[in-house]
Amino acid sequence: PDVIIFLVSLLVIALKGQKYNMAYKECIINALIKNFFNDVDYIPKKKMPQEIYNKVNYNEYYNRYYSDDYVEAKIEEKYDMKMAEVHTVYETTHTDSDGNTTTDRTTKFYGLFIKIKINKSIKNKLFIRTDGEISKRDRLEMDSSEFERYFDVSSEDKIIGMQILTHDVMDLLINFRKFIKVPFDICVLENLIYIRLHIGSVFEAKISKKSIIDKEQTEKYYNILNFIETLSKKIINILNDVEI
C-alpha cells in the first residue's frame, strides 16, 4: 500500500538516536494502527493486564505470562478497544537423580489479544473457538459442515447463539479464516468482545538488505490490522442488529 512508501521517510527521521526496532514500532507500527483506528495510544513496552486476559477463562492452564505492544484505541470513534501481543506458557522443571535440571515449556497461546467494549449486552456468553477445543457436551451443533471444520461454538443460551450465528455470519467467519490463514477465536461476554489471533510474534522489525524497511513484513502487519478492523466492525454490527 502507498502508506508504507510514505512511512519510509518518517522512519529515516526516527532512526536518528534510536534503536531500529523501537524506531520501527514508534514510527511505522504507530502510523499503521492510526490508519485503522481512532484515538490511538500505542505503548510498545506496556503489557496487557493479565487479569483482563484471565477474565475470558480460556480453560488453558499456564504459569508464565508475557505481553507487550499494548494499544488503546477506538473503533468507529465510539467503541473502546484494547489490544496487545500476549504469550502464555506452561513451564515445568524436573531434576533427575544426578541433579541435572531440565525445563519444559509449552506455549498455550501466542499472538494478538483484543478486547472491545460495545454499548449492547447479549446477556450471554458465546464462544467461537478452533475446531476440537470445545467438548461435544458443550458444543452447539451448527448447520454447516464447512463451518464446523474450522470452528466449535458454545453458548450459555443456545437460542441467542443461533440468532447470532446465521448462515451469513458463518460464511463470513469461514471466509475470514481462509483469508487470514491462521486460527482465531472469538468470545462475546455480555457487552464485551474478545478476539485472539494465533499468529505468534507481531509488530517486530525485520532487517532488510534491500531497503530501510522490509516491505513484505510491513504489508503483513498492515493486513493483520486491516483484518482486525474489518472483523471487529462486522461482529459489532451483527451484535447490534440481533434482537435480544
Side-chain angles (χ1 to χ4, degrees):
D2 292 339
V3 67
I4 295 174
I5 299 171
F6 168 73
L7 293 171
V8 173
S9 59
L10 296 179
L11 183 60
V12 173
I13 297 169
L15 278 170
K16 294 181 180 179
Q18 293 190 56
K19 291 184 177 180
Y20 181 80
N21 196 53
M22 187 52 66
Y24 180 84
K25 290 183 180 226
E26 292 180 353
C27 180
I28 302 296
I29 298 302
N30 191 43
L32 288 180
I33 297 170
K34 287 180 177 178
N35 188 62
F36 293 102
F37 304 104
N38 315 114
D39 299 338
V40 171
D41 187 13
Y42 173 45
I43 310 171
K45 293 184 178 181
K46 185 176 178 179
K47 296 180 178 183
M48 173 69 71
Q50 190 173 354
E51 58 269 23
I52 292 179
Y53 183 83
N54 287 343
K55 181 78 173 177
V56 192
N57 189 20
Y58 286 110
N59 290 326
E60 51 190 26
Y61 181 73
Y62 69 88
N63 53 12
R64 297 289 182 270
Y65 178 87
Y66 310 94
S67 178
D68 62 2
D69 286 311
Y70 180 81
V71 178
E72 286 191 2
K74 288 189 182 295
I75 299 171
E76 295 184 327
E77 299 184 350
K78 57 182 176 179
Y79 302 109
D80 291 334
M81 180 188 83
K82 300 180 193 297
M83 175 174 69
E85 179 185 301
V86 169
H87 187 190
T88 59
V89 176
Y90 178 56
E91 184 177 293
T92 56
T93 301
H94 307 280
T95 304
D96 63 22
S97 57
D98 296 325
N100 299 313
T101 300
T102 58
T103 300
D104 295 322
R105 291 168 57 86
T106 303
T107 290
K108 297 296 185 175
F109 171 71
Y110 193 13
L112 273 177
F113 171 74
I114 302 114
K115 175 188 175 183
I116 303 161
K117 184 177 182 181
I118 61 174
N119 301 325
K120 176 182 180 179
S121 172
I122 66 166
K123 300 173 183 177
N124 185 31
K125 182 174 184 178
L126 176 73
F127 244 128
I128 304 169
R129 300 202 64 173
T130 302
D131 179 48
E133 292 190 350
I134 295 175
S135 67
K136 192 170 184 179
R137 182 191 63 188
D138 298 325
R139 197 181 308 154
L140 190 62
E141 295 299 323
M142 309 305 298
D143 188 22
S144 169
S145 58
E146 185 177 16
F147 180 83
E148 289 188 331
R149 280 206 301 270
Y150 292 107
F151 302 103
D152 283 345
V153 177
S154 68
S155 178
E156 288 181 348
D157 187 313
K158 289 181 169 51
I159 294 174
I160 293 175
M162 298 302 288
Q163 279 182 279
I164 293 170
L165 285 163
T166 63
H167 274 282
D168 287 345
V169 174
M170 286 191 285
D171 287 343
L172 177 76
L173 294 176
I174 290 167
N175 291 333
F176 274 135
R177 177 63 179 81
K178 290 178 178 177
F179 171 76
I180 199 71
K181 294 185 175 63
V182 295
F184 66 87
D185 54 56
I186 301 164
C187 176
V188 185
L189 179 58
E190 302 291 346
N191 66 327
L192 299 172
I193 303 166
Y194 300 92
I195 302 170
R196 294 192 307 177
L197 295 185
H198 299 247
I199 51 177
S201 178
V202 288
F203 303 149
E204 303 300 321
K206 182 179 179 181
I207 303 298
S208 173
K209 295 179 180 178
K210 296 179 181 179
S211 61
I212 194 166
I213 64 171
D214 187 281
K215 185 177 179 182
E216 184 177 340
Q217 183 89 329
T218 305
E219 282 186 351
K220 173 188 172 184
Y221 297 147
Y222 177 94
N223 289 333
I224 288 169
L225 290 166
N226 187 26
F227 171 79
I228 291 168
E229 182 209 31
T230 306
L231 178 62
S232 299
K233 286 181 177 179
K234 291 287 187 182
I235 296 171
I236 290 167
N237 289 337
I238 289 163
L239 296 177
N240 283 335
D241 288 345
V242 72
E243 294 182 9
I244 297 173

